[in-house]
């Protein structure tokens, strides 16, 4: 509890919220993002989202290293049992990567809505037989799920793990700014 309080105090004194602007993702979803983020183009979508379903919105920095996206999960929950949903989402995340080091997880409330969240570092091993990706991919990710009766929204922030110290506070500010009508 003291560690969480310390991070909160550190956040308040070290983050300049004027670097963020409100971005409308859809008619009912908005979030604060860094001023220099731009919408992802087709190349970004194809590289980052290997799915038939395109995200509702995706944004990246000028160097295309940092990513924020909003998507609708294929998984829908008939009831509002967030504890079971949390276990399911965690299991899915653990299976997506070769290694996951969970930094924080739980259920939080933003603007009177409850979100399941996970903050973690991951490792995806490189492929020895591939010329494209031989080195492992190391990332820092902060992800939130909003379970609603007809949809599950997924909010995701990621950056290379080496950049976590520079972006962690911003990731928290972004995720705390989510508004869903």
């Amino acid at each position: 509890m003291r560690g969480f309080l310390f991070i909160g105090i550190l956040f308040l004194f070290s983050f300049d919220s004027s670097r963020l602007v409100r971005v409308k993702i859809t008619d009912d979803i908005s979030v604060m993002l860094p001023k220099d983020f731009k919408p992802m183009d087709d190349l970004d979508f194809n590289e980052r989202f290997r799915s038939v379903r395109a995200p509702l919105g995706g944004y990246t920095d000028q160097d295309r290293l940092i990513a924020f996206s909003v998507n609708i999960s294929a998984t829908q929950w008939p009831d509002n049992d967030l504890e079971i949903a949390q276990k399911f989402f965690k299991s899915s995340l653990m299976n997506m990567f070769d290694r996951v080091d969970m930094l924080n997880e739980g259920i939080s409330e933003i603007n009177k809505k409850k979100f399941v969240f996970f903050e973690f570092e991951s490792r995806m091993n490189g492929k020895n037989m591939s010329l494209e990706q031989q080195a492992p991919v190391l990332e820092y990710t902060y992800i939130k799920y909003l379970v609603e009766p007809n949809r599950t929204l997924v909010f995701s922030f990621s950056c290379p793990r080496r950049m976590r110290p520079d972006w962690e506070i911003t990731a928290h500010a972004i995720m705390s700014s989510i508004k869903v009508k």
Side-chain angles (χ1 to χ4, degrees), residues 32-68:
M32 301 287 284
L33 293 175
K35 289 179 182 177
D36 63 343
F37 270 32
K38 62 181 183 168
M40 290 184 187
D41 58 25
D42 288 340
L43 178 63
D44 291 310
F45 282 127
N46 291 336
E47 284 182 15
R48 295 176 193 269
F49 306 103
R50 292 178 172 83
S51 172
V52 176
R53 184 187 341 214
L56 296 174
Y59 295 83
T60 187
D61 67 322
Q62 300 301 318
D63 297 324
R64 298 176 55 212
L65 295 172
I66 316 302
F68 174 81

Side-chain angles (χ1 to χ4, degrees), residues 79-96:
D79 58 16
N80 210 14
D81 192 337
L82 292 182
E83 288 77 20
I84 291 176
Q86 180 181 1
K87 290 175 185 175
F88 175 83
F89 294 139
K90 182 175 183 177
S91 177
S92 295
L93 290 172
M94 299 301 255
N95 287 316
M96 284 176 57

